[in-house]
Amino acid sequence: VTGPGAAALLGRLSTGKVQRKPGAVTYCLLLDEAGGIRSDVTVARLGPERFQVGANGNLDTVHLTREARHQSEGDPAAWVQVRDITGSTCCLGLWGPLAREVLGAVCDTDLTNAGDLRYFRCAELEVGGVPVTALRVSYVGELGWELYASAETGQRLWDVLWEAGRPHGMVAAGREAFQALRLEKGYRAWGTDMTTEHTPAMAGLDFAVRPVGVGEPGFVGQEALEKIAAEGPPERVLRCLTVDDRRSTVLGREPVLAGGTTVGSVTSAAYGYSVGRPVAYAWLPASLDVGAPVEIAYFD
């Protein structure tokens, strides 16, 4: 997302404080006018008028493109261009307690917390001669980076990182490991754990909504959230469940019962290898406190 109006566009459409100095990464939500979560994204400010948005798919692209067109037509001085670079880009996630040692062996950048690549920061650097946009973010809950490069250099980037990681016992982990680790950490997946039917407060994502002071520009859905908040806390919330027998892993969409009555349903689930038991998220009444026992119905 580029142009003199890029910061204003993303500030209006998202709940996060994206108008920060270049090098900042912000996790934020895209809401609809009713305050429902239409997506969650990461916004990396690569330059004064250049942002990289980690979107959830084509719906986000269409939404951003349409709003950019309206803004550019309404105020040509604040024009914005949105380009989908997915097809020409590859991304590798390098995560784990030893991620700094691996990346540090193939680049000259200061990777410590005192450098430019501390938590939720981004920088453009070279990894084994490959130009990379590195985001110090992690969807698996461990130290590490998302490393973006052009598609044609993806194989080279993989080979460089793989060789650097071999002395440290690095493994090539897939989607199931990704799912299990993010569930253990408490990260939500849009479209599975939350949709436009849910507000940030219901999904436990209030932290991603910036406060708006008097006279400051607001964001789409802000007025709706304020009205909903005035009505009191949500009646339903997203909770984390762990399975007592430590082995029965459900798939998602199963009903959840309390006192023999169905009170909600599972959204996503996986075996949590770090905690040694299955983990599941479920939409449940807020009246069920943390620690309350429930049952998941799985093939009777």
Side-chain angles (χ1 to χ4, degrees), residues 32-282:
D32 60 19
E33 293 289 352
I37 303 172
R38 68 183 302 155
S39 188
D40 66 335
V41 299
T42 54
V43 179
R45 190 166 197 174
L46 305 180
E49 298 183 359
R50 185 163 63 101
F51 295 80
Q52 177 175 300
V53 177
N56 274 310
N58 292 336
L59 290 178
D60 289 351
T61 306
V62 171
H63 177 55
L64 291 172
T65 302
R66 181 178 60 243
E67 293 296 329
R69 183 173 64 251
H70 292 334
Q71 178 173 306
S72 300
E73 292 172 350
D75 183 3
W79 64 267
V80 193
Q81 182 185 51
V82 177
R83 291 190 301 121
D84 180 6
I85 62 171
T86 305
S88 61
T89 307
C90 75
C91 178
L92 298 178
L94 177 65
W95 296 303
L98 301 180
R100 186 178 282 118
E101 282 81 349
V102 174
L103 187 58
V106 288
C107 79
D108 297 327
T109 303
D110 181 2
L111 302 176
T112 66
N113 289 327
D116 292 334
L117 263 180
R118 56 191 181 275
Y119 191 50
F120 264 78
R121 298 285 296 176
C122 63
E124 294 177 295
L125 47 90
E126 283 196 1
V127 177
V130 177
V132 166
T133 299
L135 274 60
R136 171 82 185 275
V137 297
S138 170
Y139 195 47
V140 301
E142 287 281 2
L143 166 70
W145 293 266
E146 291 179 359
L147 303 173
Y148 294 87
S150 60
E152 70 270 14
T153 60
Q155 182 70 58
R156 166 67 179 168
L157 179 61
W158 174 277
D159 291 343
V160 166
L161 290 172
W162 186 250
E163 287 303 313
R166 289 178 66 180
H168 300 285
M170 189 170 72
V171 299
R175 178 62 62 174
E176 290 305 310
F178 201 75
Q179 171 88 332
L181 288 166
R182 71 98 180 165
L183 283 167
E184 289 184 329
K185 184 63 176 179
Y187 293 149
R188 282 77 166 107
W190 187 86
T192 302
D193 300 319
M194 57 193 182
T195 67
T196 51
E197 297 180 2
H198 309 111
T199 65
M202 295 171 67
L205 294 175
D206 269 346
F207 69 89
V209 180
R210 72 179 188 269
V212 178
V214 177
E216 295 180 359
F219 54 84
V220 173
Q222 176 194 337
E223 293 184 4
L225 291 187
E226 292 173 349
K227 291 179 180 178
I228 293 171
E231 297 171 356
E235 296 182 356
R236 301 187 66 76
V237 293
L238 190 65
R239 294 284 200 210
C240 177
L241 309 178
T242 56
V243 180
D244 292 341
D245 70 10
R246 295 178 176 269
R247 66 177 185 274
S248 298
T249 302
V250 297
L251 300 177
R253 306 305 178 189
E254 293 87 1
V256 179
L257 297 85
T261 301
T262 301
V263 293
S265 60
V266 173
T267 58
S268 53
Y271 188 85
Y273 291 91
S274 298
V275 297
R277 64 180 63 195
V279 178
Y281 292 170

